[in-house]
Amino acid sequence: MLSKAVRIDRHGGPEELKVVEVEVGEPGPGEIRIRHKAVGLNFIDTYQRTGLYPFQMPLQLGMEASGIVEAVGEGVTHLKAGDRAAYASQPPGAYCELRVMPAKCVCRLPDDISFETGAAMMLKGLTTQYLLKKTLPAEGLQPGDFVLFHAAAGGVGLIACQWAKALGLQLIGTAGSDAKCKLALAHGAAHAINYSTENFAARVKEITGGKGVKVVYDSVGKDTFEGSVDSLRPFGLLAIFGNGSGPVPPVNLGLLASKGSLYVTRPTLFTHIATRESTQAMADDLFAVVQSGAVTIPIEQRYALADVQQAHRDLEARKTTGCTILTL
Ligand code: NDP
């Protein structure tokens, strides 16, 4: 069987993304073959394209999609041919019509959640799930707690604004324009700060009466690191989960002592979804919050597979908000 797929033959700019035809075979043990209905676009795809996260070539990009299971390999018991399904996957390979992949990370998609929503929400929604519910150890976050969330009008960001509100948290969102700040507020952020024009750490101190926040969720990295540290209360946690502006350079850990016994973590979704059981438990939580209406998945951009280069350009130029999908 042939499938259109987006591949790179070397790391580089969006021009390296090529639509090609690939042969897709039968699933082996522990695998499924899935025919996609929609594919999610994520900022992590740009790290894999540029080589910030290096991979062997050629590489078929893409980490999230939804579709219909066509065939299952030996030993796969949680899925069968004909099931609606969605996933966030490691290894990459979702930018295509059809693929064979490990079944472990694939979940049945409830009938009342559309394929487009499924494709847009798995990687970003499961990420939000572990950030808000599994990242702060000990007593966790309590209703009323302040958290700071950077890039709050992005894909993960707009899901986090809504989910944090549903949990009773006071999410302070940052974003790169006033329009994006409005969007974050409309999705449940308690406060929004335009970090292109304002000193966000100073504003966070004002909003929290000088105390600082319990957790900073920082996916911007290099440009925000210093302000993120300055936004924390004593014993606060900095969760650096992305590199939107570039990776954080090496730091002297003494900084954490001088700023008040701070904690830092660099989590990744892929540790959280390493087993079928944890993937399903997190997905069930995500499906439930979406089915309840407390979180809607804001798909703000749609591109044809053939326009994937433009999609990457727009994502890197900060022109997108919310979630982006590739339509098939
Ligand atoms: P977004 O839709 O949030 O897009 C990235 C946003 O980052 C931009 O829209 C922009 O928002 C902001 N940004 C700040 N500085 C820059 C810069 N110099 N260049 C480009 N963008 C910048 O993407 P996603 O929702 O797909 O992902 C959000 C982040 O979460 C990414 O960093 C991603 O790698 C990370 N992530 C991490 C995971 C993990 O488990 N560790 C899993 C999933 C995602 P603005 O203009 O408002 O500043």
Side-chain angles (χ1 to χ4, degrees):
M1 261 161 285
L2 286 176
S3 166
K4 283 204 180 84
V6 177
R7 225 171 66 174
I8 56 171
D9 292 315
R10 58 180 180 196
H11 290 302
E15 69 283 354
E16 297 298 338
L17 297 162
K18 304 273 161 46
V19 180
V20 295
E21 287 218 318
V22 294
E23 181 69 35
V24 179
E26 293 303 317
E31 292 182 332
I32 61 157
R33 189 173 68 236
I34 182 167
R35 185 169 292 276
H36 289 155
K37 291 285 192 179
V39 174
L41 194 80
N42 288 281
F43 209 81
I44 190 173
D45 305 343
T46 70
Y47 309 148
Q48 295 174 352
R49 195 204 69 227
T50 60
L52 177 65
Y53 296 172
F55 275 87
Q56 288 216 319
M57 295 295 129
L59 173 67
Q60 188 169 309
L61 288 173
M63 310 289 284
E64 133 187 275
S66 66
I68 295 185
V69 176
E70 273 195 354
V72 304
E74 197 189 314
V76 177
T77 53
H78 69 288
L79 293 166
K80 59 181 188 322
D83 279 349
R84 304 170 82 249
Y87 66 84
S89 82
Q90 177 86 295
Y95 286 7
C96 63
E97 297 167 320
L98 186 66
R99 76 183 284 205
V100 168
M101 63 180 298
K104 179 175 97 169
C105 57
V106 183
C107 297
R108 286 191 57 219
L109 185 65
D111 289 343
D112 56 351
I113 299 181
S114 73
F115 284 116
E116 288 204 343
T117 294
M121 78 176 180
M122 292 300 281
L123 191 121
K124 301 170 201 72
L126 295 177
T127 297
T128 307
Q129 201 276 351
Y130 88 72
L131 286 174
L132 295 179
K133 295 197 170 181
K134 297 171 78 178
T135 298
L136 186 67
E139 85 276 25
L141 287 166
Q142 305 300 326
D145 280 343
F146 279 105
V147 299
L148 175 63
F149 208 105
H150 291 308
V156 177
L158 286 186
I159 296 174
C161 288
Q162 299 173 75
W163 207 335
K165 186 177 181 190
L167 294 171
L169 303 173
Q170 302 203 60
L171 182 146
I172 305 171
T174 61
S177 71
D178 290 345
K180 286 186 178 184
C181 284
K182 270 195 195 146
L183 201 59
L185 290 169
H187 284 78
H191 302 269
I193 306 169
N194 180 343
Y195 53 12
S196 311
T197 56
E198 292 185 83
N199 176 333
F200 70 83
R203 285 276 290 120
V204 165
K205 284 288 163 71
E206 253 172 56
I207 292 166
T208 58
K211 291 194 175 111
V213 298
K214 203 168 185 179
V215 185
V216 176
Y217 298 102
D218 189 339
S219 66
V220 174
K222 182 168 69 64
D223 290 355
T224 43
F225 175 76
E226 224 178 285
S228 293
V229 166
D230 285 336
S231 301
L232 284 165
R233 69 176 208 185
F235 305 107
L237 172 70
L238 173 55
I240 301 177
F241 69 103
N243 326 272
S245 65
V248 177
V251 289
N252 178 348
L253 292 180
L255 177 72
L256 305 181
S258 66
K259 297 286 180 175
S261 302
L262 302 180
Y263 295 83
V264 176
T265 182
R266 176 58 178 89
T268 167
L269 173 64
F270 301 106
T271 324
H272 287 279
I273 59 170
T275 67
R276 162 102 279 280
E277 293 68 30
S278 61
T279 305
Q280 192 61 56
M282 290 169 68
D284 287 345
D285 197 23
L286 172 62
F287 296 152
V289 79
V290 169
Q291 286 169 317
S292 76
V295 171
T296 56
I297 304 301
I299 301 173
E300 303 288 339
Q301 297 78 217
R302 289 175 174 80
Y303 298 86
L305 200 64
D307 296 327
V308 66
Q309 292 189 358
Q310 192 57 44
H312 271 232
R313 282 193 195 97
D314 291 348
L315 194 60
E316 287 175 298
R318 304 164 81 160
K319 286 186 181 162
T320 64
T321 56
C323 301
T324 303
I325 57 166
L326 300 173
T327 55
L328 296 170

